[in-house]
């Protein structure tokens, strides 16, 4: 078993802290919340996280999510004011250089594609928008996808391809890609297995697996099967991959599971739950690829209220951040994990 060790509690936000995002290369962290601010934190070189900047003039309501661009220069923020702000630190200071408008109400999530050329957003208005980075400070809407029948909670890009996943209050996950012949985006698969709201999703490092978490208190692992796969799973048109649920983690969480993160360095899965806890899972060595088994290797009562976000560091194995309704941001480290 492993142990989650608190390295530091970051205080400063007023009210719920909804989102957090690690910089892709530097020891920098962005957090956002109910107080309509984004706070930028940085490691001072001694392992202590210190506040560097507070961005308070981009939104008029709660900020729900933040995401760094792959190059690390831009930060996108999604707000209940129905807009997405793009922040640029070109000059050394953060400036809001674009505001993306179009959603009818609360924007819940924002995600950059691996290339940084595409941005996805989703909203309570049941839609998913895909934006193209036209020029440095210009963003053009490339698609509005109305596949979900309810509030869309999360968008997440595939780590290696221009494939987008979205999770919704309608209990499903949609997968989208662009038809290069006519430049139209559309859903190519609907993943339906959860019994309630799908709150969050996360791809593994290869992009051939997807983890989802739900109000039904479970985590589900989905596997991609390409045409001609060794397991004999049929692809309807002989060209488009299909996704199947290959594992359900149940009995571990006692309330809704609000967020999930799949570490690209270690393969470990972390969850944030409405029971105030953070849990860590790993795949059991030797379990079949198409029927994998996962075991819980660590758990911690991390907050005094709902844990809203959990995210593994992309640069430091075992380092993660959590946020909560209790107003705290916590930087934790997984230690003593024995094989």
């Amino acid at each position: 078993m492993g142990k989650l060790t608190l390295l530091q509690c970051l205080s400063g936000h007023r009210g719920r802290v909804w989102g957090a995002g690690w910089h892709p290369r530097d020891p920098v962290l962005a957090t956002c919340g109910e107080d309509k601010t984004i706070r930028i934190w940085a490691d001072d070189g001694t392992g202590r996280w210190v506040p560097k900047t507070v961005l308070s003039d981009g939104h008029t309501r709660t900020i729900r999510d933040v995401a760094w661009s792959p190059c690390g220069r831009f930060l996108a923020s999604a707000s209940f004011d129905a807009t997405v702000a793009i922040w640029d630190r070109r000059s050394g200071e953060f400036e809001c250089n674009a505001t993306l408008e179009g959603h009818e109400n609360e924007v819940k999530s924002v995600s950059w594609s691996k290339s940084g050329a595409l941005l996805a957003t989703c909203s309570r208005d049941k839609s998913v928008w895909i934006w193209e980075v036209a020029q440095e400070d210009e963003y053009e809407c490339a698609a509005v996808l109305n596949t979900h029948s309810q509030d869309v909670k999360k968008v997440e890009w595939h780590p290696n391809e221009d494939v987008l996943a979205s999770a919704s209050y309608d209990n499903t996950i949609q997968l989208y890609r662009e038809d290069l012949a006519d430049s139209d985006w559309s859903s190519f698969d609907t993943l339906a297995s959860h019994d309630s709201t799908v709150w969050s999703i996360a791809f593994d490092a290869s992009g051939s697996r997807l983890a989802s978490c739900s109000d039904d208190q479970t985590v589900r692992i989905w596997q991609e099967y390409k045409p001609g796969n060794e397991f004999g799973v049929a692809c309807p048109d002989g060209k488009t991959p299909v996704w199947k649920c290959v594992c359900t983690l149940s009995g571990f969480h006692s309330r809704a599971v609000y967020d999930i993160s799949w570490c690209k360095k270690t393969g470990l899965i972390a969850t944030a739950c409405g029971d105030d806890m953070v849990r860590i899972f790993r795949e059991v060595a030797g379990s079949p690829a198409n029927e994998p088994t996962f075991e819980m290797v660590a758990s911690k009562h991390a907050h005094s209220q709902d844990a809203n976000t959990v995210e593994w560091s992309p640069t430091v194995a075992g380092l993660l951040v959590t946020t909560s309704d209790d107003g705290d941001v916590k930087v934790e480290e997984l230690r003593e994990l024995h094989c």
Side-chain angles (χ1 to χ4, degrees), residues 40 52-53 55 68 73 88-95:
I40 309 296
K52 304 299 279 187
T53 308
L55 308 178
W68 294 94
R73 175 176 154 183
D88 183 358
R89 64 169 184 175
R90 168 176 42 191
S91 62
E93 300 292 330
F94 284 90
E95 296 179 4

Side-chain angles (χ1 to χ4, degrees), residues 69-118:
S69 64
C71 68
R73 175 176 154 183
F74 302 101
L75 180 69
S77 56
S79 171
F80 285 4
D81 66 11
T83 71
V84 173
I86 309 296
W87 305 83
D88 183 358
R89 64 169 184 175
R90 168 176 42 191
S91 62
E93 300 292 330
F94 284 90
E95 296 179 4
C96 181
N97 68 358
T99 299
L100 311 186
E101 299 178 331
H103 283 291
E104 295 177 5
N105 45 38
E106 301 169 2
V107 185
K108 298 294 185 71
S109 177
V110 60
S111 178
W112 298 86
S113 66
K114 183 184 179 181
S115 67
L118 297 169

Side-chain angles (χ1 to χ4, degrees), residues 137-334:
D137 297 337
E138 294 183 12
Y139 296 77
E140 297 179 353
C141 178
V144 178
L145 305 166
N146 293 296
T147 312
H148 287 291
S149 61
Q150 297 290 337
D151 184 351
V152 190
K153 301 295 189 183
K154 184 77 173 182
V155 282
E156 185 80 7
W157 286 99
H158 188 287
N160 307 309
E161 302 173 15
D162 285 342
V163 169
L164 179 68
S166 62
S168 172
Y169 191 77
D170 66 12
N171 307 353
T172 73
I173 300 158
Q174 296 287 342
L175 294 171
Y176 313 88
R177 67 178 180 186
E178 184 182 19
D179 184 336
L180 299 179
D182 56 16
S183 299
D184 282 344
W185 285 84
S186 62
S187 172
F188 67 88
D189 207 348
T190 301
L191 312 187
S193 179
H194 284 290
D195 298 324
S196 190
T197 301
V198 185
W199 284 101
S200 190
I201 43 181
F203 284 101
D204 73 351
S206 72
S208 62
R209 280 181 173 174
L210 181 74
S212 58
C213 62
S214 169
D215 214 64
D216 66 13
Q217 304 177 15
T218 71
V219 168
R220 296 179 193 249
I221 308 297
W222 307 82
Q223 174 75 44
E224 178 190 34
Y225 293 94
K226 294 183 177 180
N229 63 83
E230 63 181 295
F231 302 106
V233 176
C235 299
D237 62 3
K239 298 182 295 183
T240 305
V242 297
W243 290 73
K244 301 288 185 183
C245 181
V246 293
C247 179
T248 299
L249 305 181
S250 60
F252 297 101
H253 304 89
S254 61
R255 292 188 64 188
V257 190
Y258 289 127
D259 199 19
I260 192 161
S261 179
W262 204 325
C263 184
K264 304 299 188 288
K265 285 186 164 291
T266 65
L268 295 171
I269 293 174
T271 61
C273 186
D275 60 12
D276 316 338
M277 295 189 68
V278 173
R279 294 172 175 86
I280 311 296
F281 300 88
R282 71 174 172 191
E283 186 172 359
V284 175
S287 64
N290 64 330
E291 294 182 355
T293 302
F294 285 77
E295 61 184 349
M296 188 170 70
V297 295
S299 63
K300 183 176 185 178
H301 196 277
H303 292 278
S304 60
Q305 297 182 51
D306 293 3
N308 292 324
T309 304
V310 62
E311 185 170 339
W312 292 105
S313 165
T315 58
V316 181
L319 190 68
L320 57 79
V321 62
T322 66
T323 72
S324 169
D325 281 4
D326 64 16
D328 287 336
V329 176
K330 293 189 175 181
V331 179
E332 306 257 4
E333 184 180 33
L334 180 65

Side-chain angles (χ1 to χ4, degrees), residues 5-24:
T5 300
L6 177 65
L7 299 183
Q8 192 174 343
C9 179
L10 311 182
S11 300
H13 281 288
R14 299 184 308 278
R16 293 181 178 92
V17 187
W18 281 113
W22 295 99
H23 190 278

Side-chain angles (χ1 to χ4, degrees), residues 26-84:
D26 301 334
V28 173
L29 179 66
T31 59
C32 64
E34 191 176 31
D35 60 8
K36 311 170 195 173
T37 71
I38 300 166
R39 293 178 182 263
I40 309 296
W41 313 80
D43 188 324
D44 65 2
T46 69
R48 295 293 298 172
W49 292 85
V50 296
K52 304 299 279 187
T53 308
V54 179
L55 308 178
S56 58
D57 58 352
H59 294 288
T60 58
R61 292 185 63 194
T62 291
I63 304 174
R64 184 63 178 83
D65 193 22
V66 285
W68 294 94
S69 64
C71 68
R73 175 176 154 183
F74 302 101
L75 180 69
S77 56
S79 171
F80 285 4
D81 66 11
T83 71
V84 173

